[in-house]
Amino acid sequence: MALLVPALLIPALAACGSDGSDDVRSVVSSVEVTGEVGEEPEVEWTEDVEQTGDVEVEVLEEGDGPELEDDSAVLVQYLLSNGFDESTAISTYAEATPEVLDLGSDELPEVFTEALSGRQVGDRVAVGFESSELFGEVGNAALGVNNKDPLLLVMDVLGPTPVDVPYAEEGDGIAPDLVLDEDGLPEAMRFMGIPKPTGELQVETVVEGGGPVVRKGDSVMVDYLGSVYAKPKPFDTSFGATPLVGTLGPGGFVEGWNRGLAGQRVGSRVWLVIPPELGYGPKGNEDAKIKGTDTIYFLVDILGVAPRPAAADAVDEAADEELPELSEEEPEAPSPAVSGSPSEQESPAAE
């Protein structure tokens, strides 16, 4: 957990946010939470909460996606609100920085596992608890949380939506053959007999999902396998490990991903054939042993999406209105290739 786990490790001074009275009140019943799932919730504290009881979990909105498994890697957006001063301690929504929580990990705080156990993709869940349940008896000064503050955690479950279609060992169209492991997951590509790359971006959707559409600026959760054309060994994969989360746009994925995944739906399986200029550029990627002339193939399963904040859309629309119209003599330049891994947040394995 990129935001919260480091915060848990920051020493904090003990402080008291409660007067120790016997007036135990439900946190969840003391707030009003509004807004759509996937968008930052608005939290209004309607009552003072001086002392909380046990951890309480309430599903505010029910989703219709698949049920989470006990060892799922779950894509969530969340907001942590402090009832003592009615402030927001942490929010992943504002910058569209969703996190993947591993329900099978012993390091995940029990507050999260208790809240997400048995949930479905699309659920919005509220969790009320005393801060000591998460931060121990010392609180967390870095987050402005004292040792007995009443806290509200609002979480949106945005993935995974697995692509429940077996992987085809025999390639078709632009797709090479696949080598599957004992669990039926792809572990390598075989290029014998497939057409040579054309030098253009090629996209083929082999399974069409029924989930939300992925747009520019959204954060997406994917499983993927990446290989250089005609090379027997892949340079990276997330199958059988933690799915990758990155932003669809500059500074996130390579341009071939940005163009090939935009407009796809969650639950889709997509093949991408990416020429060098839309992949890792003329320098290639030395760590992944990708040359500047290499065409790269990706098999991508789209497991979830966290929508870009509406405020960011408004800023872009305003900026677009201020741009001068391009004349026929001034054609719009193509987007530059992004150098780095499919997501610059996680480098591809060179092994």
Side-chain angles (χ1 to χ4, degrees):
M1 299 166 58
L3 295 180
L4 194 52
V5 167
L8 292 172
L9 303 178
I10 299 173
L13 299 176
C16 189
S18 168
D19 61 7
S21 69
D22 295 329
D23 185 16
V24 177
R25 192 173 286 167
S26 163
V27 170
V28 175
S29 65
S30 300
V31 297
E32 182 178 350
V33 180
T34 56
E36 299 292 329
V37 174
E39 298 178 359
E40 184 163 17
E42 294 185 10
V43 176
E44 180 182 356
W45 291 85
T46 57
E47 297 184 48
D48 292 334
V49 185
E50 295 183 348
Q51 186 174 337
T52 63
D54 297 331
V55 174
E56 51 180 333
V57 179
E58 182 177 327
V59 178
L60 302 180
E61 298 287 344
E62 292 189 359
D64 57 4
E67 185 174 326
L68 302 180
E69 299 180 2
D70 292 340
D71 59 351
S72 292
V74 186
L75 180 69
V76 298
Q77 292 271 43
Y78 63 83
L79 178 146
L80 183 68
S81 181
N82 189 340
F84 180 65
D85 59 7
E86 302 185 4
S87 65
T88 297
I90 295 177
S91 174
T92 66
Y93 295 86
E95 299 299 328
T97 53
E99 297 185 19
V100 176
L101 308 183
D102 181 2
L103 296 188
S105 172
D106 294 335
E107 297 180 2
L108 187 66
E110 189 174 345
V111 166
F112 285 84
T113 54
E114 190 170 335
L116 293 173
S117 178
R119 300 281 78 85
Q120 291 179 276
V121 174
D123 282 356
R124 168 166 282 183
V125 185
V127 193
F129 55 97
E130 184 181 275
S131 60
S132 59
E133 297 281 352
L134 190 57
F135 299 107
E137 294 303 321
V138 296
N140 192 293
L143 298 177
V145 175
N146 296 320
N147 65 335
K148 292 186 179 296
D149 286 350
L151 300 181
L152 176 77
L153 179 67
V154 180
M155 281 190 291
D156 288 344
V157 183
L158 304 176
T161 299
V163 184
D164 292 325
V165 177
Y167 297 93
E169 292 185 80
E170 185 174 341
D172 186 29
I174 66 172
D177 293 345
L178 285 175
V179 178
L180 306 181
D181 65 15
E182 60 184 12
D183 296 321
L185 298 176
E187 61 179 5
M189 302 177 194
R190 293 290 179 262
F191 293 91
M192 184 71 69
I194 72 164
K196 291 184 178 181
T198 64
E200 304 291 332
L201 174 66
Q202 296 174 274
V203 181
E204 186 170 319
T205 304
V206 292
V207 177
E208 292 190 7
V213 174
V214 176
R215 307 173 308 148
K216 175 185 173 183
D218 289 346
S219 295
V220 293
M221 177 188 198
V222 299
D223 267 330
Y224 69 96
L225 175 70
S227 188
V228 172
Y229 173 68
K231 296 289 181 66
K233 192 173 182 179
F235 60 81
D236 200 11
T237 184
S238 69
F239 287 105
T242 303
L244 173 68
V245 175
T247 302
L248 202 66
F253 296 121
V254 295
E255 185 62 18
W257 277 45
N258 297 335
R259 298 186 186 188
L261 298 184
Q264 304 283 352
R265 290 185 175 272
V266 172
S268 295
R269 178 170 297 152
V270 183
W271 277 98
L272 301 173
V273 180
I274 302 178
E277 63 270 19
L278 298 180
Y280 299 102
K283 293 183 179 180
N285 188 304
E286 185 177 352
D287 291 338
K289 299 179 181 179
I290 298 173
K291 299 177 182 178
T293 56
D294 284 338
T295 295
I296 48 180
Y297 282 64
F298 284 102
L299 175 64
V300 183
D301 280 2
I302 305 176
L303 307 178
V305 61
R308 185 184 192 210
D313 286 337
V315 169
D316 275 2
E317 288 175 4
D320 288 343
E321 290 177 0
E322 294 179 1
L323 290 175
E325 293 186 4
L326 294 175
S327 68
E328 294 183 359
E329 290 77 21
E330 297 175 311
E332 185 175 2
S335 300
V338 178
S339 177
S341 66
S343 169
E344 292 184 346
Q345 300 172 13
E346 183 172 327
S347 298
E351 300 177 4

